[in-house]
Amino acid sequence: MKQNLITDVVQAMLPFLNNAQTEKLQEVLQCTLFEYEVTKNKNTEESSEQNLVDSFLSAKRIEGCSEKTLKYYESTIQAMLENVGKGIKYILTDDIRSYLTEYQTEKNSSKVTIDNIRRILSSFFSWLEDEDYILKSPVRRIHKVKTGTSIKETYSDESLELMRDSCTELRDLAMIDMLASTGMRVGEMVLLNRDDIDFNERECVVFGKGDKERIVYFDARTKIHLQNYLNSRTDSNSALFVSLQYPYNRMKIGGIEVRLRELGKRLGINKVHPHKFRRTLATMAIDKGMPIEQLQQLLGHRRIDTTLQYAMVKQSNVKIAHRKYIG
């Protein structure tokens, strides 16, 4: 605790002293405090730490981060602080490295998960550095975790048709078509209302990550199936998709995931998930020659690198291209 006090004083004086004066100040403090016991009010320390976290989250909220993202940031930072057991100002690079290593070992986490944690901690400590709460981010020397690239599965044309033909509810058929033709996120779809759909232009406005608006488009088949579903409803709920039974509440992400998972199990289709429709649309668009910049706008990605991760080019097309241009 005594060394922490000395560190606090020295850091506060750094803007006003040169290196020699800083070293002398540290020496004087160590000599002066040698015979003293130093304690710190624990409640004050905990309050100060929480204030820093809250201030960081407020800054990210202003930048447009969603509440879901902010909760993930907070839980990630708090878990690290509890594990390291040090005040924020005294956390070192080795502390962060040890935490990430232990986390990966204990939870058997993937490299992607560990890099997500590293990225959040880097954002937090970089913000503290920019705001002059700390001298230097301890995460600065911890580089991005290298992750292998794997080609994720997409739905085949046969699987999509099989799912459509096997739907026993008009709602489920409309949901599948909506996801497959627009490539929207399931979180965007559950927020849609009936009035949001423009059937004449076959489009609708969705609110993506960070509450960013964008227009998505659906095909003629989706239009017909969606109209059939809406015409069959007897409820007055404004939501586009609602539960099948009274009181006909707006569907949630979990409900859609469960419904699709059950459909997949019944048909023997591997890993049926809403996000897989989005990946399938991206891959199909690239295969058919859609410019990557237009696909980026359609999917609502801020960075084109993210779009490229979704658009995994089929190996069969690579083979055809090789024969066309090289072989």
Side-chain angles (χ1 to χ4, degrees):
M1 186 57 67
K2 190 184 299 182
Q3 185 57 48
N4 288 349
L5 174 62
I6 294 172
T7 300
D8 287 343
V9 174
V10 170
Q11 286 187 350
M13 292 300 295
L14 277 177
F16 312 104
L17 305 175
N18 58 35
N19 289 342
Q21 291 170 330
T22 300
E23 291 178 3
K24 188 61 179 178
L25 174 61
Q26 189 164 355
E27 181 182 331
V28 170
L29 287 171
Q30 287 175 338
C31 292
T32 304
L33 297 175
F34 180 76
E35 296 180 351
Y36 289 88
E37 289 294 332
V38 177
T39 59
K40 189 172 184 178
N41 188 315
K42 188 175 181 181
N43 292 332
T44 303
E45 182 179 9
E46 290 178 352
S47 175
S48 177
E49 302 281 291
Q50 186 60 48
N51 287 341
L52 290 179
V53 176
D54 290 342
S55 296
F56 167 71
L57 296 174
S58 296
K60 301 305 287 186
R61 184 177 285 108
I62 293 172
E63 291 176 15
C65 288
S66 67
E67 291 303 314
K68 182 180 178 181
T69 299
L70 293 174
K71 286 181 181 178
Y72 182 45
Y73 276 25
E74 183 176 20
S75 63
T76 300
I77 294 168
Q78 293 291 7
M80 180 276 298
L81 292 175
E82 291 174 9
N83 183 278
V84 172
K86 285 185 176 182
I88 289 174
K89 294 180 181 179
Y90 315 113
I91 293 176
L92 306 174
T93 300
D94 285 343
D95 296 324
I96 302 296
R97 283 201 183 105
S98 297
Y99 171 70
L100 293 175
T101 301
E102 290 174 9
Y103 189 98
Q104 186 173 31
T105 302
E106 291 176 4
K107 300 185 180 295
N108 195 26
S109 301
S110 67
K111 290 182 179 180
V112 173
T113 299
I114 297 303
D115 193 60
N116 284 339
I117 296 174
R118 180 206 61 81
R119 180 174 49 79
I120 291 170
L121 296 181
S122 177
S123 178
F124 175 56
F125 282 104
S126 294
W127 178 83
L128 291 173
E129 181 181 338
D130 292 341
E131 296 292 323
D132 294 325
Y133 289 116
I134 60 175
L135 281 177
K136 182 179 177 181
S137 166
V139 192
R140 185 183 294 182
R141 294 200 302 256
I142 302 177
H143 303 297
K144 184 180 186 302
V145 180
K146 292 183 179 180
T147 57
T149 55
S150 59
I151 299 178
K152 297 183 178 180
E153 293 181 14
T154 58
Y155 296 119
S156 65
D157 293 339
E158 291 82 359
S159 294
L160 287 173
E161 289 305 317
L162 185 59
M163 281 189 279
R164 290 187 178 103
D165 290 344
S166 302
C167 287
T168 57
E169 298 290 344
L170 292 174
R171 183 202 65 182
D172 295 347
L173 179 58
M175 283 196 313
I176 288 175
D177 278 335
M178 200 68 173
L179 289 169
S181 65
T182 64
M184 68 172 65
R185 301 177 180 93
V186 65
E188 296 167 346
M189 189 173 75
V190 297
L191 296 176
L192 286 174
N193 293 324
R194 303 191 207 200
D195 294 341
D196 294 329
I197 307 300
D198 185 339
F199 284 107
N200 291 327
E201 297 296 329
R202 298 210 309 258
E203 64 183 37
C204 60
V205 175
V206 297
F207 290 89
K209 292 183 177 181
D211 291 331
K212 291 179 291 187
E213 280 189 19
R214 79 176 189 285
I215 300 175
V216 297
Y217 308 93
F218 50 90
D219 55 24
R221 171 165 51 184
T222 303
K223 173 182 176 178
I224 293 171
H225 292 162
L226 195 55
Q227 285 178 326
N228 290 340
Y229 163 61
L230 292 177
N231 291 335
S232 71
R233 282 172 54 178
T234 57
D235 63 274
S236 58
N237 195 322
S238 62
L240 182 62
F241 293 107
V242 297
S243 59
L244 296 174
Q245 297 178 347
Y246 183 83
Y248 306 110
N249 293 321
R250 180 186 296 271
M251 288 204 73
K252 297 181 179 179
I253 294 175
I256 295 176
E257 289 176 342
V258 170
R259 190 72 175 180
L260 291 176
R261 189 160 56 243
E262 290 174 349
L263 178 63
K265 286 181 179 179
R266 191 169 74 243
L267 299 175
I269 301 175
N270 188 38
K271 297 178 182 177
V272 175
H273 188 273
H275 204 76
K276 201 170 176 180
F277 291 96
R278 184 170 165 85
R279 193 182 306 124
T280 300
L281 178 134
T283 304
M284 180 181 66
I286 288 293
D287 286 344
K288 291 187 176 181
M290 185 176 190
I292 192 69
E293 295 83 3
Q294 293 179 15
L295 179 59
Q296 177 188 8
Q297 185 172 351
L298 182 65
L299 295 177
H301 290 152
R302 188 177 62 179
R303 298 173 64 244
I304 202 165
D305 291 352
T306 308
T307 311
L308 288 170
Q309 291 175 5
Y310 280 79
M312 297 297 183
V313 180
K314 292 179 182 176
Q315 191 63 36
S316 59
N317 287 5
V318 176
K319 183 177 181 180
I320 292 171
H322 181 274
R323 289 178 177 175
K324 178 179 179 181
Y325 295 108
I326 301 172

